[in-house]
Amino acid sequence: MTKLKQNRIIDSTFKYFGIFCTFFGLIVLAIFIFNILTEGVQRINWDFLSNLPSRRPAKAGILTAWTGTAWILGLTAIISIPLGVAAGVYLEEYGKKNRLASIIEINIANLAGVPSIIYGLLGLEIFVRTLNFGGSLLAGAFTLALLILPIIIVATREALKAVPKSLREASFGMGATKWQTIWYQTLPAASGGILTGIILALSRAVGETAPLIVIGALAYVPFVASTPMDEFTVLPMQIFNWVSRPQHGFVINAAAAIIILLLITFIMNGIAIYLRNKWQKKVNW
């Protein structure tokens, strides 16, 4: 057998192995989602969404969990989006291309892959103990903002890189300053990619549990948070609390809460895909 035939056999084998792994993963995911749907759909109703947690499965709801998730998501967005976009603009448009810049770029890329519990420990020391935020929504939001900042920075930089230099040069040729060029030309042209990165980053933050457990978020909260300094719980922690209970009713509640969390994640990812496709249609370069 010639070397060419051996390489073709290897390529073909790898191709079918990849197809098998893909379908295997999809089948397992489909089984998982089907089991959750069959268990949890029957439990989803207005009472489930509007009731407070309870020791009786039939009366337990996710009001505190989904409102806490909404609070955390909103505060995290308010904190992380301006900082992440501003840092990305500075590094791409103003920062000098030297060794220090290369080190910063490498570290930002590495921070995007750091385990989330490390950010939880950092948030515990800085926001909970040093700044005395305690186990509040604000401490959780700042911690998750640190978690997703590298993702937003990288997404912003990549979106800005995709904007051609000719657009900047045309703006400079018309007498615009550097900031005017960035604000009126570069950022609007890169907005689709930036928004996609932001939404995907927030989608990751929605499902995080480890950092919030570390900073002291509670698994059981009998009231709805009304200020950023209130204690809180979120959907992933509520789900964890229910699946650890021996009663089958709590397992059904957990499945229903998982469906709600999946819907939030799918909607956010769907918005990101829509914005990306809409932006790509407008690109003329």
Side-chain angles (χ1 to χ4, degrees):
M1 182 181 295
T2 64
K3 190 69 174 178
L4 179 60
K5 289 183 177 180
Q6 288 180 353
N7 290 335
R8 286 179 176 175
I9 292 173
I10 292 172
D11 290 343
S12 180
T13 302
F14 182 78
K15 172 185 174 182
Y16 289 111
F17 177 73
I19 292 173
F20 168 77
C21 291
T22 302
F23 277 100
F24 179 77
L26 290 174
I27 291 170
V28 172
L29 180 62
I31 294 172
F32 174 69
I33 293 177
F34 177 77
N35 287 336
I36 290 175
L37 290 174
T38 54
E39 287 278 349
V41 167
Q42 57 183 330
R43 185 67 180 86
I44 297 177
N45 51 41
W46 178 248
D47 289 337
F48 182 69
L49 296 174
S50 60
N51 285 352
L52 295 172
S54 173
R55 294 180 180 178
R56 290 180 288 181
K59 292 189 175 182
I62 58 170
L63 179 61
T64 57
W66 75 258
T67 53
T69 297
W71 265 103
I72 282 288
L73 193 60
L75 291 173
T76 301
I78 292 171
I79 296 166
S80 62
I81 292 174
L83 289 175
V85 173
V89 169
Y90 173 78
L91 291 172
E92 187 60 32
E93 301 292 337
Y94 290 97
K96 296 180 179 179
K97 308 302 180 183
N98 51 27
R99 181 173 295 180
L100 178 61
S102 299
I103 293 173
I104 292 174
E105 289 178 12
I106 293 171
N107 279 278
I108 289 174
N110 289 336
L111 284 173
V114 171
S116 59
I117 195 169
I118 303 300
Y119 289 98
L121 295 172
L122 182 63
L124 175 65
E125 183 60 33
I126 297 176
F127 304 122
V128 176
R129 295 177 179 172
T130 304
L131 299 179
N132 293 320
F133 288 162
S136 65
L137 284 162
L138 200 57
F142 271 112
T143 302
L144 292 182
L146 288 179
L147 174 67
I148 66 174
L149 263 178
I151 303 173
I152 297 176
I153 293 172
V154 171
T156 300
R157 296 196 63 189
E158 292 301 321
L160 292 173
K161 285 179 182 178
V163 179
K165 291 183 179 180
S166 59
L167 189 65
R168 297 176 174 87
E169 292 170 354
S171 180
F172 292 145
M174 296 297 293
T177 63
K178 189 175 184 66
W179 172 245
Q180 287 173 331
T181 299
I182 293 170
W183 185 255
Y184 292 107
Q185 301 298 329
T186 311
L187 277 177
S191 60
I194 294 172
L195 285 172
T196 300
I198 289 171
I199 293 173
L200 293 177
L202 291 174
S203 296
R204 180 187 177 185
V206 167
E208 288 293 345
T209 307
L212 301 180
I213 292 176
V214 173
I215 67 168
L218 304 176
Y220 174 78
V221 178
F223 58 87
V224 177
S226 57
T227 69
M229 296 306 296
D230 287 343
E231 295 179 329
F232 70 101
T233 189
V234 289
L235 278 171
M237 292 190 65
Q238 186 67 72
I239 293 167
F240 173 78
N241 182 32
W242 277 338
V243 296
S244 62
R245 301 287 187 89
Q247 299 97 321
H248 183 67
F250 283 117
V251 175
I252 295 175
N253 289 349
I258 290 172
I259 294 173
I260 301 297
L261 187 60
L262 285 174
L263 284 175
I264 294 172
T265 305
F266 288 158
I267 289 171
M268 294 183 69
N269 281 273
I271 294 172
I273 293 170
Y274 170 76
L275 291 174
R276 183 187 63 195
N277 293 337
K278 186 177 180 180
W279 176 70
Q280 288 176 344
K281 291 178 181 179
K282 291 183 178 181
V283 173
N284 297 319
W285 53 78

